Amino acid sequence: MSARKKMQVPLLDLKAQYAGIREEVRVAIDEVCDAQYFVMGPKVTELEASIAEYSQCSDGIGVSSGTDALLVALMALEVGHGDAVITTPYTFFATGGTISRLGARPLFCDIDRDTYNVSSDAIRTLLENECDTVDGKLVHRPSGAVVKVLMPVHLYGQTADMDALAAIGEEYGLPIVEDAAQSIGSEYADGQRAGSRGTIGCFSFFPSKNLGAFGDGGMCTTNHSELADKLRILRLHGGKPKYYHAVVGGNFRLDALQAAVLSVKLRSLDAWTEGRQSNAAFYDQAFADAGLSERVSTPVTRTGKRHIYNQYVIRVAERDALRTHLGEAGIGTEIYYPVPLHLQQCFADLGYGEGDCPESESAANETVAIPVYPELTRDQQQYVVDTIADFYS
Ligand SMILES: *Cc1c(COP(=O)(O)O)cnc(C)c1O
């Protein structure tokens, strides 16, 4: 290793982001403190309108987290015991966890090797080979569960193949819940935004997402007003009017402090996204310039898409050793995700085993996320690339 000066490069540096918006954020927080209106209310309504517009939807429904956005979306589509939801195993746990919490069965379809998003071919194969229409219902033969929903995830900031998924949804009569937790503002190839083409879009404002709150928060988006009404009712325990319950919902409310912070941050989101995109382009070029193209697979963006790079994930051999090497050099990394959902202990009773989703399994073994946050400097990025080059030299 050369005598390069050691730098600290965290995976994400929210302090750098906060430094640029500190005053605006504090004014917005003060407004909430002065109003003493903490849960739901005008700040939440304002954020809902802006996120709906940003995501090209008629309605935004603020909720308590990205997880609860998924949960309430599935509840609105009446997913429950005896049902099944088709999804990807290569995702954050919440995608599969919410299906399971409603008593439904996740049906895991493998991913495309290059984008890490669910493979529409794998979904078609499942539908053609393992599902039958019985009495107007789509039944998963091996389990007897009724397939109710398609739930793709737009992983790392790039949308799944919505053209193909929408065609499948249409053909089989399946609504689509988009897990867009990592993809606010990302676009399908036709310029439409994540969350706008599916039946319901689900966003997370967890602090590490591109639009992050000062705590937990989430949003459902939709272009179906009757579903928007249903989501709003379910969010408040299912009461409409208040204290009269035709359905059982939950406490999925968003609070005003989070909404106030998010409304301020939303103004900067496109600039931050451009920063991430520019950093990603720099890495792409720098890995090639360093002669690492054979060793390091950089992210693949499908033609015409707007990738918002919630993560910049590289694929390498000897991933764990490289990760240790980067850690020793002061560089933050993370593995998203080390265990695909079909191999999680809690889903053992679903009967999946190793080899059932080979692309997800190899991605889990070979990928690592490196820092791509907007405030990263070129020096820091070059240091990351040089440190990786050292490892392979
Ligand atoms: C973050 C995330 C969620 C959950 O969001 P929370 O706000 O943390 O509950 C769901 N799905 C994916 C893909 C995520 O990345």
Side-chain angles (χ1 to χ4, degrees):
M1 174 138 181
S2 56
R4 188 172 298 117
K5 190 163 167 290
K6 189 168 166 178
M7 294 175 82
Q8 291 299 319
V9 191
L11 183 64
L12 177 64
D13 183 2
L14 288 171
K15 286 183 187 161
Q17 183 192 74
Y18 182 53
I21 53 170
R22 191 172 186 276
E23 292 317 313
E24 287 171 275
V25 167
R26 292 176 78 94
V27 168
I29 289 177
D30 256 347
E31 283 170 16
V32 176
C33 295
D34 289 341
Q36 291 288 301
Y37 195 142
F38 294 118
V39 178
M40 306 289 292
K43 290 283 186 196
V44 170
T45 311
E46 182 192 324
L47 179 73
E48 290 175 335
S50 343
I51 298 286
E53 191 193 349
Y54 190 78
S55 302
Q56 302 167 346
C57 286
S58 61
D59 290 87
I61 299 92
V63 294
S64 29
S65 67
T67 302
D68 286 342
L70 295 171
L71 189 66
V72 75
L74 294 175
M75 288 169 79
L77 295 169
E78 292 173 19
V79 170
H81 286 276
D83 294 333
V85 175
I86 296 175
T87 192
T88 166
Y90 193 60
T91 176
F92 179 62
F93 182 74
T95 317
T98 48
I99 298 167
S100 195
R101 281 170 64 189
L102 291 171
R105 166 184 280 265
L107 297 176
F108 294 117
C109 287
D110 208 1
I111 55 171
D112 284 333
R113 186 175 174 80
D114 56 351
T115 63
Y116 308 108
N117 278 322
V118 71
S119 156
S120 55
D121 290 340
I123 294 178
R124 267 199 188 279
T125 303
L126 173 89
L127 288 167
E128 282 165 15
N129 297 345
E130 294 186 28
C131 301
D132 301 307
T133 302
V134 183
D135 297 333
K137 288 177 177 163
L138 187 61
V139 177
H140 177 240
R141 214 180 310 117
S143 64
V146 177
V147 183
K148 280 275 193 71
V149 171
L150 286 181
M151 190 147 92
V153 177
H154 304 316
L155 204 67
Y156 303 147
Q158 174 168 224
T159 54
D161 185 356
M162 281 301 285
D163 283 339
L165 295 172
I168 293 172
E170 186 96 356
E171 189 177 330
Y172 287 88
L174 293 172
I176 299 179
V177 172
E178 297 177 55
D179 181 341
Q182 300 181 8
S183 285
I184 189 161
S186 76
E187 290 172 7
Y188 326 117
D190 57 11
Q192 284 182 280
R193 291 240 159 130
S196 68
R197 253 184 98 173
T199 315
I200 302 174
C202 298
F203 296 92
S204 165
F205 304 128
F206 185 75
S208 68
K209 312 291 170 156
N210 287 24
L211 182 63
F214 284 8
D216 280 307
M219 181 87 56
C220 290
T221 58
T222 184
N223 278 306
H224 303 268
S225 57
E226 71 295 351
L227 271 177
D229 290 342
K230 210 163 168 184
L231 288 163
R232 285 192 192 99
I233 294 167
L234 287 166
R235 166 178 66 177
L236 302 174
H237 287 291
K240 193 192 178 179
K242 202 175 180 184
Y243 307 127
Y244 292 80
H245 298 259
V247 290
V248 177
N251 171 3
F252 304 129
R253 298 176 302 231
L254 181 61
D255 72 73
L257 279 170
Q258 302 309 335
V261 170
L262 289 163
S263 287
V264 171
K265 282 193 167 194
L266 182 59
R267 292 183 224 138
S268 302
L269 183 58
D270 283 331
W272 293 333
T273 296
E274 280 162 31
R276 287 172 179 271
Q277 290 168 332
S278 155
N279 290 347
F282 180 86
Y283 274 139
D284 291 348
Q285 188 61 47
F287 282 120
D289 292 347
L292 286 170
S293 301
E294 298 284 305
R295 301 278 202 172
V296 176
S297 301
T298 53
V300 171
T301 305
R302 288 275 162 82
T303 316
K305 289 203 175 183
R306 182 183 196 230
H307 193 324
I308 62 152
Y309 293 99
N310 178 243
Q311 302 295 341
Y312 186 94
V313 172
I314 58 172
R315 182 174 205 132
V316 292
E318 303 168 65
R319 188 265 320 268
D320 293 338
L322 172 65
R323 192 171 180 226
T324 304
H325 176 79
L326 290 170
E328 284 164 3
I331 298 166
T333 59
E334 189 54 273
I335 296 169
Y336 301 113
Y337 296 91
V339 182
L341 300 192
H342 69 293
L343 299 180
Q344 293 286 353
Q345 193 183 342
C346 63
F347 292 138
D349 61 334
L350 296 176
Y352 291 98
E354 252 171 69
D356 282 341
C357 296
E359 288 302 343
S360 301
E361 292 162 34
S362 76
N365 291 324
E366 296 170 2
T367 61
V368 59
I370 60 174
V372 72
Y373 63 88
E375 298 80 8
L376 208 59
T377 65
R378 289 290 185 247
D379 282 349
Q380 285 176 308
Q381 284 197 277
Q382 192 59 52
Y383 175 69
V384 172
V385 174
D386 291 345
T387 307
I388 293 174
D390 286 337
F391 179 79
Y392 287 109
S393 68

